[in-house]
């Protein structure tokens, strides 16, 4: 019943196609494979984030155990960062399951109003650096259109974006988690599988960080920066109730 | 100088090509991209190993923190399993750096004799299940030949295999770590980068294990099996010097 | 302001007293120190659980990186197991904050009825092995009484236990998480700190498991057991949609 | 044969005594228990190190999975930092096993000469901040003397210190790993067990860091510092060969 690893997969499929099979139990079309490769690279974490810094610092303390540095880099991928695509997926499931004949604009307007009233943050929007536009989202949505995979969930995500900007009276970022959650949903991914994909993507991204930390390390500089600036950090130089006179 | 993520990579490259760039700082040819995808899928760990069991057990205790299950799955990828491809790479570097005009057969014969004399195990050979043939190695070497990437290091690895079988007077497995270490070396990977690639591959493989553990869990059955068989396990039911009367 | 590590703590305090200071920002009394040592040993995980098995399996794959085995052992300490004491703490805060002059019996009766009506499981009750009595809870409550630290939250926890048994018409286990959550609350711990203490306790417990795995390993036997019983495991020998003919 | 957890340990023993039993399989004397508590607190990591920063950064990304932050904090405890006490232990085993009637001064002089000739670094010496004196070592050796546990290995470590300072013609730090390795060896610990103890100690220390990160977070400030100073970091703002124009 299943696909034979050596005969059918190795040498014929790329990594993202394998991931696609794992979560959907069906073979990706060429369009889906292209889009999933794109999406996984977009969320692979190329910059200095909590996660990549934790990986690099861990590497500096245990360079012989590079698996530990990978693990540390993944462990920060919790609710704050990588949970976002899953929450986007869950929100889209909830809204499309209750469509009841309404247009995207109608559903979105109601959802934005509900969220603002409840002071609830809609998942998939906002970014500390990429504002008002996250170029990864633009690229991903363009690719989805090229491949004929810009479907119900992508359209609804875009409608939520419009209604949110109208309600807030300003430009707002539709971030990479928002775009990738909508695209994965349009390819039939369960929300719970979206986080699996996002974390595995981050593992690919960590190759770059850890290879570079090996060649051109920054960890000691980061620790020095923290030590030098300890007085300006919220907790100063004391760690809890212990005075480190040592 | 570098490659622009949104303009040049996302939508154009697959995950393995990105990994290739990260470790070699050059763009993979189509042949190299195909081979690296193949190789990463071959080492992704599809069965019940220490690593995949640790990931599944961790998931069962903390299903809300799927990043922890990934991390646990990677942490077992130490010297015993995934270090192997790196050690293969190091051995090949050492042998080719000291070629001094000798043929593969000459180098291999001498190395096998040296290893047997010193009771040293050559990396890349042997497998608890796949004996005498690891079908992944066969597939990977066939692909390398198809793509014109079966070069000096692959040939030397095969020569080591022959000489080892001659010296041991029996069939021996050239395992997936052996084949993939030789291929990565022929594509110009440093040995230290080989483990990075192997660990990231395993993260892709964990998508399958963890998605399945979510849908169709085995962890409780594993714990029950261990409890039932505790008397037959080496340590019995006691953990060290503590009696668990509780 | 703080306590000087070398002058005041090292040589004078035990580990649990240090942990007490960290989470409460005050010095433990001798009674509190004794009770916290007891409690941390009680939750240290002495048996074969998902967490200790994950640690041992990880050790078997990466014996040179013992920190990875510890990390794997902690990662399973999520919502299912170790989150329990925190949820006990949160429940007790909620109930005592809304006491409004009611007795423990009144509060408990109402809470048990509410939980049963909503099919909600009360934290701190039930155990797969220790039924109907968890001897660790009995010991911990006895010690709390000896030390004059069996206070409002312990009494309320006991009242919940009684009301739950009355409503369910059977004996039910008050587990170690239940007893330790109530005791920590009576010593002034915030619920969020309870999980910190529980996880650090487990790290102490892992010393025993990992020292023993080094001396007397069980991991390979566990993997063999799983392989032999693969047909009886829920997922059989297939991992998701991949056939491992290899 | 073993000690009963509920009857003999909980309520009677402190955490360090339990750890002592786990690694030596015998009960600690009161002196040994005091010393092991002291030693574990000394190596618990109270400052901003790679390990505590990795833990805090991980917490900031996944505050709901505090076990992941603990795990990240332990994962940096590899060869660079925490391996030191184990290497001290191994060195002391090696030197005392080859004593052949020589005095501590004779053994030490020879070992220091050998190490300097081979440009080999002796484990247990040197510290980036605590120079020329690590107050933890002073405190630990003082306690060992008070408790009658300053024995062969402590004396040899002190002799190595003297000979190293004579040979180098300057003051050198005998660090906490050096003192604690010697003390643990005098209490009969195997070198491989020393790292187990060191890592568990660090888990206790992480309670302080993570409780504080919850109350008074520094992670975002650390990331901001890194971003602001990216141009001064060795790798600048580029991560490997990828330009992050996004």
């Amino acid at each position: 019943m299943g696909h034979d690893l050596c005969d059918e997969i190795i040498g014929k499929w790329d990594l993202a196609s394998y991931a696609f099979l794992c979560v959907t139990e069906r073979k990706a079309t060429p369009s889906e494979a292209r889009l999933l490769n794109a999406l996984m690279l977009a969320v692979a974490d190329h910059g200095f984030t909590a996660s990549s810094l934790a990986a690099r610092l861990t590497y500096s303390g245990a360079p012989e155990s590079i698996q530990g540095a990978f693990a540390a880099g993944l462990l920060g991928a919790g609710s704050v960062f990588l949970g976002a695509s899953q929450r986007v997926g869950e929100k889209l499931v909830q809204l499309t399951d209750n469509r009841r004949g309404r247009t995207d604009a109608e559903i979105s307007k109601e959802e934005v109003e509900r969220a603002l009233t409840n002071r609830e943050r809609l998942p998939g929007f906002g970014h500390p650096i990429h504002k008002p536009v996250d170029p990864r989202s633009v690229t991903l949505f363009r690719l989805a259109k090229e491949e004929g995979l810009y479907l119900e969930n992508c359209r609804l995500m875009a409608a939520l974006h419009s209604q949110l900007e109208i309600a807030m009276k300003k430009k707002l970022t539709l971030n990479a988690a928002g775009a990738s959650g909508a695209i994965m949903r349009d390819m039939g991914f369960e929300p719970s599988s979206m986080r699996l994909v996002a974390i595995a993507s981050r593992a690919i991204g960590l190759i770059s960080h850890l290879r570079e930390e090996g060649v051109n390390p920054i960890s000691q500089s980061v620790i020095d920066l923290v030590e030098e600036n300890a007085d300006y950090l919220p907790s100063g130089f004391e760690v809890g109730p212990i005075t480190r006179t040592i």
Side-chain angles (χ1 to χ4, degrees), chain A:
Chain A
M1 255 286 307
H3 293 268
D4 185 88
L5 187 65
C6 282
D7 287 352
E8 293 179 63
I9 296 180
I10 293 176
K12 300 200 176 72
W13 294 23
D14 59 31
L15 296 172
S17 298
Y18 173 85
F20 193 99
L21 176 73
C22 293
V23 298
T24 64
E25 299 193 14
R26 67 176 177 83
K27 193 176 165 178
T29 64
S31 291
E32 288 166 335
R34 182 186 178 208
L35 209 51
L36 190 57
N37 272 295
L39 186 158
M40 290 180 76
L41 286 174
V43 301
D45 177 22
H46 310 275
F48 291 134
T49 60
S51 157
S52 61
L53 282 177
R56 285 165 173 258
L57 288 161
T58 300
Y59 177 84
S60 76
E64 79 287 358
S65 305
I66 207 147
Q67 69 275 18
F70 268 92
L74 299 185
L75 287 170
S79 60
V80 176
F81 300 116
L82 285 188
S85 54
Q86 178 175 349
R87 289 198 305 279
V88 168
E90 287 162 353
K91 176 59 71 186
L92 291 169
V93 167
Q94 178 200 339
L95 295 177
T96 53
D97 280 358
N98 293 289
R99 182 175 279 281
R100 298 190 309 272
R102 290 172 299 159
T103 65
D104 289 341
E106 287 164 352
I107 294 176
S108 299
K109 191 156 187 290
E110 189 180 308
E111 173 63 13
V112 165
E113 279 166 11
R114 190 199 59 73
L116 294 177
T117 306
N118 297 343
R119 296 170 161 279
E120 200 184 295
R121 199 174 160 156
L122 283 180
F125 298 101
H127 196 283
I129 298 169
H130 304 312
K131 43 191 177 183
V133 172
D134 186 333
R136 296 171 297 178
S137 306
V138 175
T139 301
L140 290 176
F141 273 167
R142 177 177 56 72
L143 292 168
K145 284 171 185 163
E146 282 177 30
E147 298 295 342
L149 290 166
Y150 188 91
L151 304 173
E152 179 182 18
N153 290 281
C154 287
R155 282 193 294 263
L156 181 52
M157 197 69 202
L160 282 166
H161 190 200
S162 299
Q163 293 297 330
L164 194 58
E165 292 191 334
I166 291 168
M168 303 285 285
K169 298 191 178 63
K170 63 171 178 176
K171 286 280 167 199
L172 275 168
T173 306
L174 193 167
N175 60 37
S180 59
I183 291 170
M184 284 192 275
R185 190 73 201 120
D186 273 337
M187 296 193 298
F189 287 32
E190 292 303 318
S192 61
S193 294
M194 295 180 188
R195 195 189 276 202
L196 292 174
V197 169
I199 293 171
S201 306
R202 187 152 289 204
I204 298 288
L206 285 168
I207 296 176
S208 176
H209 283 285
L210 292 173
R211 201 256 175 174
E212 196 187 59
E213 187 69 19
V215 173
N216 206 2
I218 65 163
S219 285
Q220 192 53 53
S221 307
V222 170
I223 296 169
D224 293 346
L225 264 178
V226 172
E227 291 275 345
E228 284 159 26
N229 290 275
D231 293 343
Y232 307 103
L233 292 175
S235 67
F237 211 65
E238 307 238 329
V239 175
I242 314 295
T243 303
R244 299 189 300 134
T245 54
I246 56 161

